[in-house]
């Protein structure tokens, strides 16, 4: 069975930052599809620098739990994992699949996969998030969907990933309207109600973890609340629209499957168990005995 | 246990077995088994019951390490160390089994790890906080899953987030009472990531230490500036972050291979092979702060007030503020004392308490030069 390392950002300040990596690792372990599933972090431990030595395997599938190709996937992860010969994925910004490299310090073969955020299956996770937050497995007809990204502050690929999924979901004709909105560029999430005619609008931030942006900035910017600390209603009424705010897409359990898909696309023989145990919520703790 | 250890040994003995004082050799249908002071021959399809007790112990010991314990070298070496079976430790298998009957314990950071003998030589392992050494299991929260370890590592006893897993702030009150060999390695790896692997590399003389200047040179983006941290400030930074009361790793990196830091390395079991991300983040702040030029200030204080400022700095730096009793007015860092000092000396225009000695405008005091 393949060995999987999930590379995530983590945080020195916010314990919620690393939760998706731990939660998806737990889900993937529970499927038995992988021999070992090891999270690794930029800001927490095990650090990227030391994660490979904790995995007793000659061949590793390394999946970045990041939204877009950019600084972390192109520079930080290859450098910190000591991936010899890394020169990029030959990607247009959303099309990275995998590159096979050798880790300098452990001599392991590393299949370095594209980030989860640009995988086609991420569109399904966004839709699932809309289903989860509305409690309606058929949500779509007459409902607007806003996919929200950070924007072009440092990396144009971040916006590309948001538009990519918004376009794909729009093409499915499931939702009445689909828009890509941003925090730092137009069209801006602050004006969410200007971009939708539908009375119900589901807002899904294309972020891995809940934190400052998804739990403070965006809810206040959209007018869901004056003060994030007092919380907000779901749905919340803003300018006559009902806004269903989903929180970070990366916390959706289905994202675990995207991680596995990334490894499978890079050649991992992922067994069928993965796809036969869908999880919408709940806990599947695995005990050692 | 699917196979009888004797059957497994007979198969392996075709090529000869030498392990922990046990010798085994297959001669046709006969299996010759020997330890120091005891020799016997049994049928190749025999069972443990055919062996005298000391030999049976050596055979089950071989079987555990051959068929059950992990092959991966770091984890295996760790489990051997845990029960006192490392190279150079001369205990015999019967002696080791006697100790394992009651449990052999080792400390690993704030963990107390105990190996015990179970059925037919199998080992089971317990993990708990070292300060819970004498607490009955019935008074501890029994844990079994890797997720439990993730949750334990996340917050300290005051429910504060722990950004550094090797900080000596692991919460108490839990126990993993009965783990197999792979599971105990996973649990330790979750509580103290990569410590077993780096400890093993160090034992093998193969630890890849990255010194500060090299680690700093590697930084990009927001952290590029850390290569400019002055040498003197690096000493202060290591004193602030890398000593035993702050981190249980033993610092093996220095400024460079030739420029050794004076700060004590610490007494931890496991090595620190390069500045961690928290240290680099701190170094970024100090690099920026060190960029400011010093100024000379004048402030009027009584001798006791001067002592009090020192006491406040010490109490904050040592994390002692919450241990100063509410009504202990004799302690300089007592909250009422600090509030009194603020009311007397710092209320209102706080920066006005410190007069610039050269008479310049205090509002320019943060200007970098």
């Amino acid at each position: 069975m393949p060995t999987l390392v999930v590379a995530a950002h983590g945080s020195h300040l916010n314990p919620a930052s690393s939760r998706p990596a731990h939660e998806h690792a737990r889900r993937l372990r529970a499927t038995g599809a992988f021999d070992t599933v090891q999270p690794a972090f930029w800001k927490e431990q095990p650090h990227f620098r030391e994660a490979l030595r904790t995995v007793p395997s000659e061949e590793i599938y390394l999946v970045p739990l990041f939204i877009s190709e950019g600084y972390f996937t192109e520079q930080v992860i290859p450098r910190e994992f000591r991936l010899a010969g890394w020169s990029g994925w030959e990607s247009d910004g959303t099309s990275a699949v995998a590159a096979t490299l050798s880790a300098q310090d452990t001599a392991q073969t590393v299949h370095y996969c594209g980030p989860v955020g640009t995988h086609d299956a991420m569109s399904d996770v966004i839709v699932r998030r809309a289903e989860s937050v509305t409690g309606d497995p058929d949500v779509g007809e007459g409902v607007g969907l806003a996919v929200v990204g950070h924007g072009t502050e440092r990396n144009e690929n971040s916006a590309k990933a948001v538009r990519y999924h918004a376009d794909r979901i729009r093409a499915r004709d499931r939702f009445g309207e689909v828009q890509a909105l941003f925090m730092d560029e137009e069209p801006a999430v602050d004006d969410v109600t200007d971009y939708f005619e539908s009375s119900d609008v589901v807002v899904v931030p294309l972020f891995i973890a809940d934190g400052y942006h998804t739990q403070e900035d965006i809810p206040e910017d959209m007018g869901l609340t004056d003060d994030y600390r007092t919380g907000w209603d779901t749905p919340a009424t803003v300018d006559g629209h009902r806004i269903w705010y989903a929180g970070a897409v990366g916390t959706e359990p289905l994202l675990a499957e995207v991680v596995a898909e990334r490894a499978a696309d890079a050649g991992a023989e992922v067994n069928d168990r993965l796809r036969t145990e869908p999880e919408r919520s709940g806990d599947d703790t695995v005990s050692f005995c | 246990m699917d196979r009888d250890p004797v059957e497994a040994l007979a198969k392996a003995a075709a090529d000869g077995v030498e392990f922990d004082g046990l010798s085994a050799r297959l001669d046709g249908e006969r299996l010759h088994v020997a330890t120091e002071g005891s020799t016997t021959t049994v049928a190749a399809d025999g069972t443990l019951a055919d062996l005298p007790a000391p030999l049976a112990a050596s055979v089950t010991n071989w079987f555990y390490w051959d068929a059950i314990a992990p092959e991966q070298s770091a984890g295996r070496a760790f489990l051997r160390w845990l029960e006192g079976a490392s190279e150079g430790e001369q205990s015999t298998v019967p002696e080791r089994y006697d100790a394992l009957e009651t449990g052999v314990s080792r400390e690993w950071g704030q963990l107390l790890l105990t190996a015990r003998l179970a059925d037919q030589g199998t080992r089971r392992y317990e993990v708990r906080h070292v300060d819970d050494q004498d607490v009955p299991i019935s008074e501890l929260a029994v844990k079994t899953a890797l997720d439990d370890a993730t949750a334990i590592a996340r917050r300290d006893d005051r429910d504060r987030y722990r950004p550094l897993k090797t900080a000596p702030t692991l919460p108490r009150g839990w126990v993993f009472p009965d783990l197999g060999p792979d599971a105990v390695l996973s649990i330790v790896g979750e509580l103290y990531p990569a410590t077993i692997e780096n400890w093993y590399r160090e034992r093998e003389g193969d630890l890849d230490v990255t010194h500060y200047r090299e680690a700093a040179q590697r930084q990009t983006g927001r952290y590029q500036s850390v290569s400019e941290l002055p040498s003197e400030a690096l000493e202060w930074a290591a004193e602030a972050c890398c000593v035993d009361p702050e981190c249980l790793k033993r610092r093996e990196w220095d400024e460079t291979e030739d420029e050794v830091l004076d700060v004590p390395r610490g007494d931890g079991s496991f090595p620190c092979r390069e500045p961690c991300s928290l240290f680099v983040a701190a170094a970024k702040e100090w690099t920026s702060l060190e960029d400011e030029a010093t100024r000379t200030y004048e402030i009027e204080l009584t001798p006791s007030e001067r002592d009090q400022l020192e006491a406040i700095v010490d109490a904050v730096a040592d994390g002692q503020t919450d241990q100063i009793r509410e009504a202990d007015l004799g302690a300089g860092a007592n909250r009422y004392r600090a509030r009194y000092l603020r009311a007397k000396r710092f209320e209102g225009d706080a920066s006005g308490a410190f007069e610039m000695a050269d008479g310049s405008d205090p509002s320019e005091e943060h200007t970098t030069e």
Side-chain angles (χ1 to χ4, degrees), chain A residues 28-104:
Chain A
L28 289 166
R29 284 188 200 109
T31 67
F34 293 91
D35 182 48
T36 303
V37 182
Q38 177 65 58
F41 302 98
W42 172 229
K43 292 291 179 190
E44 298 179 33
Q45 297 155 294
H47 191 268
F48 290 163
R49 198 84 177 152
E50 298 181 343
L52 290 181
R53 68 188 57 185
T54 71
V55 183
S57 177
E58 296 300 312
E59 192 168 21
I60 311 284
Y61 292 86
L62 173 59
V63 178
L65 205 64
F66 284 79
I67 288 299
S68 54
E69 295 172 31
Y71 176 63
F72 283 101
T73 61
E74 298 275 335
Q75 291 186 48
V76 174
I77 292 175
R79 181 186 77 212
E80 297 296 307
F81 279 94
R82 303 183 230 193
L83 303 181
W86 165 253
S87 60
W89 281 301
E90 294 184 11
S91 166
D92 65 7
T94 57
S95 61
V97 178
T100 298
L101 304 153
S102 176
Q104 274 171 334

Side-chain angles (χ1 to χ4, degrees), chain B residues 240-300:
Chain B
C241 301
C242 303
V243 292
D244 283 346
E246 302 303 321
C247 180
L248 298 168
K249 284 185 184 177
R250 172 176 23 87
R251 182 180 55 77
E252 289 301 315
W253 54 268
D254 287 289
E255 181 166 3
T256 65
E257 190 172 355
D258 299 327
E259 293 163 289
V260 174
L261 300 180
D262 293 334
V263 179
R265 298 187 182 282
D267 298 322
S269 305
F270 32 82
C272 176
R273 43 164 297 281
E274 72 171 39
C276 68
S277 74
L278 193 56
F279 188 88
V280 170
K284 170 177 166 284
E285 291 302 321
W286 285 316
T287 301
S288 170
L289 292 171
E290 286 299 325
D291 206 27
E292 288 180 21
T294 58
R295 302 285 181 91
T296 303
Y297 299 90
E298 285 182 359
I299 181 170
E300 289 217 338

Side-chain angles (χ1 to χ4, degrees), chain B residues 19-282:
Chain B
F19 183 77
D20 275 0
L22 171 75
S23 301
R25 182 171 51 81
L26 189 66
D27 180 10
E29 297 298 308
R30 310 296 294 169
L31 175 65
H32 303 286
V33 185
T35 61
E36 193 177 278
S38 187
T39 303
T40 196
T41 301
V42 295
D45 60 354
T47 67
L48 272 182
D50 301 330
L51 295 173
L55 277 174
S58 285
V59 170
T60 59
N61 178 67
W62 167 82
F63 186 75
Y64 177 74
W65 291 107
D66 185 71
I68 300 173
E71 290 177 24
Q72 191 241 351
S73 43
R76 186 179 177 86
F78 182 75
L79 294 179
R80 299 271 297 169
W81 169 80
L82 198 52
E83 66 174 57
S86 291
E87 203 172 323
E89 296 184 280
Q90 297 300 323
S91 63
T92 63
V93 169
E95 286 169 348
R96 217 184 299 154
Y97 268 37
D98 281 348
L100 284 167
E101 284 287 351
T102 48
V104 178
S105 294
R106 295 262 200 178
E107 290 185 23
W108 189 253
Q110 287 184 293
L111 301 180
L112 184 73
L113 302 159
T114 303
R116 290 193 180 87
L117 204 57
D119 185 40
Q120 292 202 325
T122 299
R123 274 69 157 173
R124 303 298 288 178
Y125 302 91
E126 183 198 271
V127 184
R128 62 169 70 191
H129 194 293
V130 68
D131 293 343
D132 290 333
Q133 180 162 11
D134 299 321
V135 178
I137 281 191
S138 59
E139 293 176 21
L140 298 171
V142 172
K143 305 293 183 183
T144 58
L146 190 60
D147 267 4
D148 295 328
T150 309
I152 289 166
R154 186 174 288 131
R155 293 181 184 277
D156 66 14
D157 271 328
R158 294 161 62 192
D159 204 33
R160 295 182 308 178
Y161 175 50
R162 298 173 69 239
L164 185 67
K165 285 207 170 89
T166 45
T169 54
L170 202 63
R172 295 178 52 185
W174 49 268
V175 61
F176 292 85
D178 186 29
L179 300 167
D182 291 305
V184 71
L185 293 171
S186 296
I187 296 298
V188 174
E190 188 66 20
L191 295 169
Y192 292 138
T195 54
I196 293 173
E197 290 78 10
N198 287 331
W199 165 86
Y200 177 70
R201 281 187 176 225
E202 185 179 51
R203 275 166 65 109
E204 297 294 300
D206 195 25
L207 185 68
D208 50 335
V209 174
T210 305
H211 297 287
Y212 180 79
R213 292 295 166 201
E214 189 187 342
Q217 204 63 41
R218 200 175 79 227
Q219 305 303 317
T220 53
R222 301 171 60 207
Y223 297 98
Q224 203 162 13
S225 65
V226 300
S227 60
E228 295 163 21
L229 187 70
S231 298
E232 193 179 26
L234 179 60
E235 286 276 2
W236 298 327
E239 187 179 328
C241 301
C242 303
V243 292
D244 283 346
E246 302 303 321
C247 180
L248 298 168
K249 284 185 184 177
R250 172 176 23 87
R251 182 180 55 77
E252 289 301 315
W253 54 268
D254 287 289
E255 181 166 3
T256 65
E257 190 172 355
D258 299 327
E259 293 163 289
V260 174
L261 300 180
D262 293 334
V263 179
R265 298 187 182 282
D267 298 322
S269 305
F270 32 82
C272 176
R273 43 164 297 281
E274 72 171 39
C276 68
S277 74
L278 193 56
F279 188 88
V280 170

